[in-house]
Amino acid sequence: MTTPLENLGEVADVHVASAAAGAARATPGVERLQPGLWGLVQQLSHELWERATGEAYPDVAGVEVEMQDGVALVDVTLATDGTIPAGQVAAAVQRAVVDAVAARTAVPVLSVAVHVCEIALPR
Amino acid sequence: MEDVVDDLDAGRTDDHSRTCEHCATARRSLENLMEATAALVADPSEPPPTLLGRIMQAVRAEARRGDVLALEGAELGPADVSEVAVAAVLRFAADSVEGVWARSCHITVEPGSAGTIAVAMTLSLRYGSGPAEGLLGEVRGRLAAALAGQVGLHAHRVDLTIVDVWPEEEL
């Protein structure tokens, strides 16, 4: 049986994306990671796969990883909670992602692009 | 994006959507999304209660990828923020001044001045809220604070234009 992990191609990509997503989500000032339409499609299909198989799949929606000659280019899209300037949040996410990927995988990270698509307004 | 959704709903295509690369990409993504949501609907278990909200967030994120402002301070790769998101922060900041209602907000970037923007905003004022000069000064202060505290940019120019005054009894 082919799993979504294999469907994505390089398994290393998913491990890098999983480490990056966890680190980004845990960064102060990050409200959520935000997938686009295609990312949401992948997220929904992973949820269906989890329901069908009972196996957990890492939530990497909002993170894209491209491998080039053994190094990773990470792309993160997120919403901030508005408590910390978006520029500071983006810089902190970059540092957290590089550290987390280095700690959990043997893949070096060449760059981390951060896109802030939304800033939460005070309620 | 809304036009593409409407065309998909109606099952039609026009000359523009057939030849525009961006519309074709959006159309393919939406078709994939519709297939995935159809699979969820066909699934005997309950769909996630937050599904509609997640779809709308994804649509907004997709639509906001075009116009972005570079963020300063990022050292390990590029970082940017959606212009629409910044405009929403600025409109909210202006609205927080009693008697002021932000109508429109346009942001431009001066070439070669990273982290610095120019803001052009139109406002409505409620008659009787006080001298316009004082209200506009308060708006400028709130805009600067919001830009620094929530975004991490600063404005080298803020143009405020009062386009409407409404009487108090209309509120």
Side-chain angles (χ1 to χ4, degrees):
Chain A
M1 179 182 173
T2 303
T3 69
L5 282 171
E6 290 161 344
N7 282 338
L8 282 178
E10 296 287 335
V11 172
D13 290 14
V14 180
H15 289 157
V16 171
S18 177
R25 222 176 267 121
T27 302
V30 173
E31 183 169 85
R32 66 174 189 281
L33 302 189
Q34 181 58 60
L37 287 170
W38 177 239
L40 180 60
V41 170
Q42 291 177 311
Q43 190 180 39
L44 293 174
S45 69
H46 296 158
E47 290 174 9
L48 282 172
W49 185 80
E50 281 186 345
R51 279 192 215 166
T53 65
E55 292 181 40
Y57 187 88
D59 183 5
V60 297
V63 176
E64 293 175 19
V65 175
E66 182 184 346
M67 299 298 293
Q68 282 186 3
D69 301 325
V71 299
L73 287 82
V74 182
D75 191 287
V76 181
T77 303
L78 56 85
T80 66
D81 63 14
T83 61
I84 301 173
Q88 287 183 27
V89 175
V93 165
Q94 290 179 329
R95 291 190 294 270
V97 166
V98 168
D99 291 347
V101 173
R104 288 179 50 187
T105 75
V107 179
V109 175
L110 182 62
S111 79
V112 182
V114 177
H115 312 288
V116 179
C117 66
E118 189 175 323
I119 298 170
L121 302 174
R123 294 187 177 88
Chain B
M1 183 62 75
E2 288 176 6
D3 290 342
V4 175
V5 173
D6 289 344
D7 286 347
L8 270 177
D9 280 345
R12 65 173 179 255
T13 54
D14 57 22
D15 287 343
H16 175 78
S17 62
R18 273 192 292 273
T19 55
C20 172
E21 180 188 342
H22 301 295
C23 287
T25 303
R27 192 181 176 94
R28 279 196 299 275
S29 296
L30 282 167
E31 284 171 344
N32 286 327
L33 180 61
M34 286 172 171
E35 286 177 20
T37 49
L40 275 177
V41 170
D43 190 4
S45 52
E46 284 290 310
T50 57
L51 181 59
L52 181 60
R54 288 166 63 189
I55 291 172
M56 293 314 298
Q57 284 176 340
V59 168
R60 280 199 298 271
E62 200 76 42
R64 291 179 174 186
R65 285 186 175 176
D67 297 318
V68 295
L69 306 167
L71 287 168
E72 280 190 313
E75 297 173 348
L76 302 171
D80 55 52
V81 59
S82 155
E83 189 178 308
V84 174
V86 176
V89 167
L90 294 179
R91 278 199 301 269
F92 188 89
D95 287 347
S96 69
V97 178
E98 181 69 25
V100 174
W101 180 34
R103 297 283 292 267
S104 70
C105 180
H106 184 62
I107 298 169
T108 53
V109 181
E110 290 292 322
S113 57
T116 304
I117 60 174
V119 177
M121 181 177 277
T122 60
L123 303 166
S124 290
L125 299 186
R126 185 178 61 209
Y127 182 77
S129 297
E133 187 179 357
L135 290 173
L136 295 185
E138 184 70 17
V139 169
R140 287 182 197 281
R142 302 270 175 106
L143 295 184
L147 269 179
Q150 292 168 253
V151 185
L153 297 173
H154 61 276
H156 71 95
R157 181 185 178 100
V158 177
D159 292 330
L160 301 177
T161 307
I162 300 169
V163 295
D164 190 23
V165 176
W166 80 89
E168 194 163 4
E169 57 267 26
E170 282 188 13
L171 283 182

